[in-house]
Every structure is written in structure tokens, then in C-alpha cells.
Amino acid sequence: MLPALLHSELVGTNSSSTFLELPKSFWLLAQTLRLLFSGRYSSVCRKSHRTASFSAHVIIYLARAQPKKKKKVDVRREQAQKDRMKKKIKKLEKAAPELIPIEDFETPLKVRSLPPLSFEETERRVLLMKKWSAYKQKQDRAEKQAIRSLVEAQQEALKELRLESEELYQAAIRRDEGLFPFEREGPNYTPPLPGYDPPEGKCIDITKVYTQ
Amino acid sequence: MAAPVGCLAGWGRWVGSSSSAAVTPRPWRLFGALCLLRLPRITQPLRGEEEEMAALMGQIELEKSRYSDHEVRKLEEEEQLRRRKESSYDDDEAPGKTVIMAQDLEDKWEQKLLQFSPAPRVTDADKKDDRTSLNRKLDSNLMLLVKQKIGNQELWLLPQVEWQPGETMRNTAERAMATFLGDHIQAKILGNAPYGIYKYKFPRAIRTEDNVGAKVFFYKAFLQSSDLSQAELKKDYLWVTKDELGAYLKPEYLKKVNRFLLDF
């Protein structure tokens, strides 16, 4: 109980005020200890007989005596503090905000050091590019031809269907609502491994967050 | 269907039903067929020019790039090691602090990669050339061929079923799939319109005024359920690629089918 009371009293006071109070409290303590040893305050101690708890009682009395003197000083000091903080905030606000760096635009200064290309290498590259463009052109033409033949076959089928029955034709040219959105997972390099259990990993996010 | 010798048993039933009614008898019989495609699961191998080009692209990218964080760290550590070896002084770092070098990390990653073995691209079914399995030729489209009896001939065809009045052609195609594969198979039919048509006339022996020939409308669908263990396949079936179709289909039929199949 005694340490709790002491703690509550000390917490109740302002941090700035205890600095000045300490020497006062020590002075008072010194005074009271002198008086104690002289024997005049022996009546204060009722519950215990040990000197340690007796001095603790005295300290409690001293602590309780302090708050009455602190009030005006505290209020003034608090006001001064608040003003100082406000001035600091105003100064910071007036200064221009620091720009947040865009990490994507920062490139390392050091450039990759590779040996320069030989004449044969450049020649080979140019010739390969030419072959590649011819290959791609052929591929593109083949694709376009395939699409053309697809469309032709479909048109023919629809024509024949119309000859057969108008209602079947109308049903066929109606839009298929369930077709889009069409989702499909593309092919991978290897087929899925049956019974493969992928290892669990932790993802630690180290992105830097900047605040202005 | 080039000239099968006709058997009247199959056609007789149809001729009988046509005489009923308000419906003006059409001379053509209608069939709906489904070209069910199993899409490729792995990428095709790169051909000659593609491989060279891929290598060249990688090289050009490397030349134009800057050092990544990992590479910068690796270079710095190599510098440090070199300096330490040359001057052989005690390191400035506090003793007891274990530093993982970038090279060690790379070795660790390499080890981990070697431990993992992916599934083979050329499967067992490829090696045995088992044409009834779906695991064959994972890098190309496979389509379903079924042996059906037309006239009195058993022919390999895309699964087809006769059209019944009251349903659309697409429904006929779906019914064809259900007849041959059962109800549990999921497939996405691409649109309401047919992709192709195969028209043929019956041989003169069976041809009548009302019954000149048949039109088969093809629909294309992508197979979506990956395993067919629940499929109740009643008759002979095959999963073949476009190149292998020629071995099974009749030439005229094949020509019409090839028009709407893309080339892979």
C-alpha cells in the first residue's frame, strides 16, 4: 500500500515540476529526519515500529503537502510549453514539403561493363533479324488465311441452314450470352506434377512508406 | 461418305414419319456434330529461328540492362574478398557477426532447383502412342473421333446425332456430346452458329424424292473438365490431332472439317 501511494502522488505531478520539487523535498526530508531523531514525531508512527516505514510515512506527508503549491506554477509552465510547440509547428509548416523520391526512377550509376561487339557478331545479328522478319511475315499470312477460311466455312454453313429452316437460322445467329467473359489458363512449360505440394513461404513487405 | 451400299432398314422409319403432317417434308436430313477439342497444356517447342531469336533477345536485354541489387551486392562482396586477400588484414567487421554472401545465396538457390524435378513433357501415352488417352501430345489440340454406323458401314466420324424438331442445332450438338460421353463432361461450345457443314447425297439405291441426302452441321467446343474417368464411352473412340485426322476420315469429309480447324 505504501509504495502504491508514493507512486500515485509522484505520477500526479508534472515532469517539469518534480525537478524543482526534489531539492525542496530533500530539504524537508532532511529537516524531518533531524526532528525524528530528536524524538518529537514519534506519535505519528502508529502501525509499525521500524524506522524505514516510519520515514516512508513522512515522505507521504511531504508528497501530499506539495500539490497545493504547484498549481499556478504548473499552469504557467504548461502554457509556455504549448506556445513553444505551436511556434515549432508553424516553422515546420512554412518550410516546403520534402519530395517523396520515386524509387522506380532511381537507376544505379554503375553501368554494366561488357566487351564491345565484334563485327561478325553485329553481322550475325542483322542477318538473323532479317530472317526473323520473313518468318514472322509468313506466320502472319498463314494466320490470316486460316481466319479467312474459318469465316468462309461458317458463312457457308449458315447459308445452308437458312435454306433448311428460317427458325433454326435465327436461333443460330443469335448472340451467345454465356460465351463472354471467356477465361482460360494458358499452357505452361511442363504439365502439372500430380500430388505436388508447393512449399509455404512468408512474404515480408519491405516497401518504404514516406509521409510528408 | 463415298457410296455406301444402302440398307433400307435405317431410312424406312424416317420416310414413314415424314408423311405425317403439316410439316412440308424437306429432302435433307439434318445432323448436328460436335468437334470437341482438348486444348494444349504445354507450350510448343521453339523452332529453329525462334530459338535463335529468343537467345538474341536475351543477350540484347542483358546488354541494355543495369545492375540489379543482388548483382551490386555480389560485386561489392567480391571486391571486399579481393582486398582482404591482397592486403590480408583483419576485417573491420565485429567478430561473431556471420555474413551471408550473395554467392552463397546463389549456390543455395541452385541446389534447391536441382532438387526439384518437374513432370516430363513427353508423357507415357506419347511413347506408347495410346490414342485413346488424353495425356498424349500435350502441346497440340486433340479432338474426339467416334466410330459410328452410317448406312451399313462403320465409319470414324466426329460424334453426330440426328436433329429432332423442336431443338436448335446447338442443342443437337450438345446432345451428341451427351450421347457419347455422358452428362458429367463440361465443355464450352463456342457460339450458337455452326462452324462448318458437310452435305452429301445418299446413294441412288436409297434416294427418294423426299430423302435426297444429309447435312451435317459442325459445332466447335473446348473441353473443360480435365479428367474423363466419369465418361461412359460406349463405343470406340479416339483423341487425335489435326495431322492424324487424315488416317481416319474420308477425304471429302476431311476437307470440310479441315476448313474450320486451326493449324496446330
Side-chain angles (χ1 to χ4, degrees):
Chain A
M1 196 186 89
L2 302 171
L5 282 168
L6 271 174
H7 180 67
S8 61
E9 291 302 326
L10 285 169
V11 160
T13 60
N14 264 339
S15 53
S16 55
S17 47
T18 45
F19 179 71
L20 286 172
E21 299 304 340
L22 278 172
K24 245 194 199 173
S25 63
F26 277 131
W27 179 76
L28 284 165
L29 185 61
Q31 286 264 304
T32 46
L33 281 172
R34 255 198 294 129
L35 289 165
L36 278 172
F37 287 121
S38 67
R40 274 191 215 175
Y41 285 83
S42 51
S43 57
V44 172
C45 170
R46 284 174 200 173
K47 290 179 186 172
S48 65
H49 304 284
R50 294 181 200 145
T51 49
S53 54
F54 184 68
S55 54
H57 269 291
V58 172
I59 292 168
I60 291 165
Y61 276 118
L62 288 172
R64 279 181 192 155
Q66 285 167 5
K68 289 179 193 170
K69 296 172 196 170
K70 266 199 225 162
K71 273 181 188 172
K72 289 178 198 168
V73 179
D74 270 353
V75 166
R76 263 192 282 149
R77 206 157 280 121
E78 276 178 36
Q79 275 287 316
Q81 255 202 327
K82 279 181 194 170
D83 290 332
R84 268 180 262 147
M85 291 300 285
K86 278 181 192 168
K87 275 189 190 170
K88 280 183 191 169
I89 290 166
K90 275 184 191 169
K91 268 193 193 170
L92 285 171
E93 276 175 359
K94 276 186 194 169
E98 216 178 80
L99 299 169
I100 300 174
I102 304 174
E103 280 164 26
D104 291 336
F105 290 175
E106 287 166 17
T107 45
L109 299 163
K110 197 172 174 187
V111 187
R112 212 176 267 269
S113 59
L114 292 166
L117 294 175
S118 64
F119 174 70
E120 286 92 15
E121 181 60 24
T122 45
E123 282 292 303
R124 179 192 81 98
R125 284 187 184 188
V126 167
L127 289 170
L128 182 59
M129 293 285 210
K130 292 197 176 191
K131 263 199 285 177
W132 178 249
S133 79
Y135 172 80
K136 269 300 188 186
Q137 191 188 46
K138 253 196 283 178
Q139 203 183 52
D140 182 57
R141 286 221 182 112
E143 274 178 23
K144 290 195 167 121
Q145 177 57 37
I147 293 172
R148 240 177 283 148
S149 109
L150 220 72
V151 169
E152 262 173 36
Q154 191 168 61
Q155 290 299 323
E156 202 189 298
L158 283 171
K159 206 170 64 175
E160 295 284 338
L161 190 60
R162 193 163 208 181
L163 288 174
E164 279 305 306
S165 106
E166 190 59 36
E167 53 167 290
L168 281 180
Y169 175 74
Q170 290 300 326
I173 59 174
R174 217 174 290 149
R175 206 183 274 185
D176 184 8
E177 302 298 331
L179 189 59
F180 294 110
F182 182 84
E183 281 173 8
R184 196 211 135 186
E185 280 183 22
N188 301 312
Y189 186 67
T190 51
L193 205 57
Y196 178 64
D197 187 27
E200 284 191 16
K202 244 190 332 179
C203 199
I204 308 169
D205 197 8
I206 53 168
T207 46
K208 292 186 190 163
V209 179
Y210 296 95
T211 48
Q212 280 193 325
Chain B
M1 287 49 180
V5 174
C7 163
L8 286 160
W11 315 143
R13 197 165 29 95
W14 190 88
V15 169
S17 64
S18 75
S19 53
S20 64
V23 181
T24 47
R26 299 185 199 100
W28 298 94
R29 288 178 70 185
L30 300 176
F31 289 87
L34 189 72
C35 175
L36 191 61
L37 292 172
R38 185 225 65 186
L39 294 167
R41 291 218 190 108
I42 58 176
T43 52
Q44 291 190 323
L46 299 172
R47 287 175 208 126
E49 288 123 331
E50 288 178 349
E51 252 187 67
E52 288 174 23
M53 200 58 193
L56 178 63
M57 287 285 110
Q59 241 179 318
I60 292 178
E61 250 188 58
L62 189 71
E63 284 162 17
K64 287 193 177 173
S65 69
R66 301 293 179 107
Y67 287 119
S68 66
D69 287 342
H70 177 81
E71 284 191 307
V72 165
R73 180 179 160 183
K74 198 168 153 188
L75 286 170
E76 279 172 5
E77 283 171 4
E78 278 173 9
E79 268 292 308
Q80 266 184 358
L81 271 178
R82 207 174 42 79
R83 266 188 276 133
R84 243 188 269 167
K85 275 185 196 164
E86 282 176 8
S87 48
S88 66
Y89 56 81
D90 247 348
D91 7 335
D92 303 342
E93 300 161 36
K97 180 173 146 195
T98 50
V99 175
I100 306 173
M101 308 279 282
Q103 190 61 44
D104 299 336
L105 277 174
E106 275 190 18
D107 292 334
K108 202 167 73 170
W109 296 334
E110 192 74 43
Q111 286 297 313
K112 234 179 168 179
L113 180 64
L114 290 171
Q115 280 169 11
F116 172 75
S117 61
R121 297 185 80 198
V122 178
T123 57
D124 292 336
D126 269 328
K127 291 177 197 156
K128 286 185 272 178
D129 201 21
D130 176 17
R131 296 204 168 176
T132 55
S133 107
L134 264 186
N135 278 332
R136 198 172 74 95
K137 297 262 178 188
L138 292 173
D139 61 351
S140 41
N141 283 341
L142 285 182
M143 58 205 89
L144 182 64
L145 281 185
V146 188
K147 207 160 200 178
Q148 282 183 296
K149 194 165 169 138
I150 305 283
N152 65 345
Q153 266 195 345
E154 290 267 346
L155 295 167
W156 282 110
L157 299 172
L158 297 176
Q160 73 185 40
V161 147
E162 177 139 20
W163 173 75
Q164 277 159 10
E167 62 177 7
T168 61
M169 263 301 162
R170 184 187 165 148
N171 291 343
T172 321
E174 284 168 358
R175 202 159 51 87
M177 187 177 71
T179 327
F180 288 99
L181 288 179
D183 287 332
H184 303 281
I185 305 302
Q186 317 239 320
K188 188 153 197 161
I189 299 194
L190 306 176
N192 287 325
Y195 270 73
I197 179 169
Y198 177 62
K199 208 161 74 169
Y200 67 100
K201 290 192 174 164
F202 297 135
R204 289 189 192 276
I206 338 167
R207 215 180 294 179
T208 59
E209 278 277 323
D210 294 335
N211 194 0
V212 174
K215 288 186 181 178
V216 186
F217 291 95
F218 298 107
Y219 279 79
K220 218 174 176 186
F222 289 156
L223 185 68
Q224 278 177 333
S225 52
S226 46
D227 65 331
L228 294 182
S229 47
Q230 284 185 323
E232 311 125 24
L233 280 146
K234 298 162 197 165
K235 300 181 188 173
D236 296 336
Y237 66 99
L238 284 183
W239 291 95
V240 290
T241 59
K242 190 182 177 196
D243 312 319
E244 294 160 5
L245 278 179
Y248 297 96
L249 300 179
K250 301 274 176 175
E252 282 295 317
Y253 192 80
L254 177 70
K255 212 166 67 169
K256 294 288 180 174
V257 168
N258 271 340
R259 284 177 80 194
F260 66 82
L261 288 179
L262 290 174
D263 217 359
F264 353 91

